[in-house]
Amino acid sequence: IKGDLNDDSILNGMDIVLFRQGMVSGFGSRTLSFAADVNYDGDVSIADLLLLNQYVTRIIREIPAARIARYDAVKADFTQGIFETVNAGYTAEAYLNLNNESGSGVTVQVSVPKTGNYLVTFRIANGSVNNRPMMLSVNGGADRWLQDFLTTGAWTTWEDRGIVLPLQAGINSITAVSNTPEGGPNMDYITMEQTDEPIAE
């Protein structure tokens, strides 16, 4: 539950105390960081604490979800790649450069307020002349989506590539695995927005 930092299924003053402690000394685990991201914007900040405090003190009756949530690639799990700051234009503290090999990949843990279809948009740079498609999956399920990542013209040119995926309320894993020997594109971040559009074929 968003804001429930002691995992007792109740949002109260104790969660606010733990939140303040976490802001000073760190939250210690990815699960707690997700719980502390009260407004679903992909970042834990004073805005989340204020929202939690407003809910606990009954100033607001429910905690609204952010319309668009962002998750930086540098905070994701990956195999066969490195974080870089070589090519300008990225907006996070660094970007993810996957190895030029089939099978290199990244898994992003995301949190959504309710089950539904979400437009998942990757901000990428692909300076190669070739498409660098990646195979996507959600929560380790059997369904797979082959997502094209066409050239952006230069490694310093960043563009968005989007796909509609089905996500469950709570924490989800979105995995992207390189489908060619060239590997995948460089990744800055992904964003998510709930949509009425159908799931990709």
Side-chain angles (χ1 to χ4, degrees):
I1 300 174
K2 286 297 190 176
D4 184 16
L5 298 187
N6 62 355
D7 199 26
D8 64 356
S9 299
I10 301 171
L11 299 184
N12 57 27
M14 181 55 69
D15 297 301
I16 293 174
V17 170
L18 292 173
F19 197 113
R20 288 176 176 161
Q21 291 174 350
M23 290 291 286
V24 173
S25 58
F27 291 95
S29 73
R30 178 168 288 174
T31 301
L32 283 179
S33 293
F34 275 124
D37 182 17
V38 178
N39 63 7
Y40 292 89
D41 70 351
D43 185 40
V44 178
S45 69
I46 194 68
D48 297 293
L49 178 57
L50 292 174
L51 197 56
L52 178 59
N53 188 66
Q54 288 176 334
Y55 179 81
V56 169
T57 57
R58 302 296 186 255
I59 294 174
I60 58 175
R61 292 183 174 270
E62 64 180 32
I63 296 175
R67 183 168 176 266
I68 298 177
R70 167 179 162 156
Y71 296 87
D72 293 339
V74 293
K75 297 179 181 177
D77 296 321
F78 66 92
T79 57
Q80 300 155 324
I82 58 171
F83 295 134
E84 283 186 345
T85 58
V86 176
N87 297 301
Y90 60 92
T91 61
E93 59 193 81
Y95 60 85
L96 175 61
N97 180 356
L98 294 171
N99 289 0
N100 294 343
E101 56 185 296
S102 181
S104 59
V106 58
T107 297
V108 183
Q109 302 283 336
V110 302
S111 181
V112 297
K114 58 184 178 180
T115 299
N117 296 351
Y118 286 80
L119 175 61
V120 179
T121 302
F122 296 81
R123 187 171 191 265
I124 61 100
N126 178 5
S128 167
V129 296
N130 299 321
N131 181 20
R132 292 193 171 192
M134 300 187 79
M135 193 66 73
L136 306 182
S137 63
V138 176
N139 297 327
D143 290 338
R144 297 286 186 273
W145 295 267
L146 187 62
Q147 172 67 25
D148 288 329
F149 289 106
L150 301 173
T151 182
T152 60
W155 292 110
T156 54
T157 301
W158 298 83
E159 296 179 358
D160 292 341
R161 304 285 187 263
I163 185 172
V164 177
L165 298 175
L167 301 178
Q168 301 295 316
I171 298 174
N172 295 259
S173 297
I174 299 174
T175 299
V177 178
S178 301
N179 204 53
T180 72
E182 281 197 55
N186 291 345
M187 290 190 185
D188 187 10
Y189 61 78
I190 72 168
T191 61
M192 289 181 309
E193 180 179 9
Q194 192 162 23
T195 179
D196 293 329
E197 293 296 318
I199 300 167
E201 292 292 330

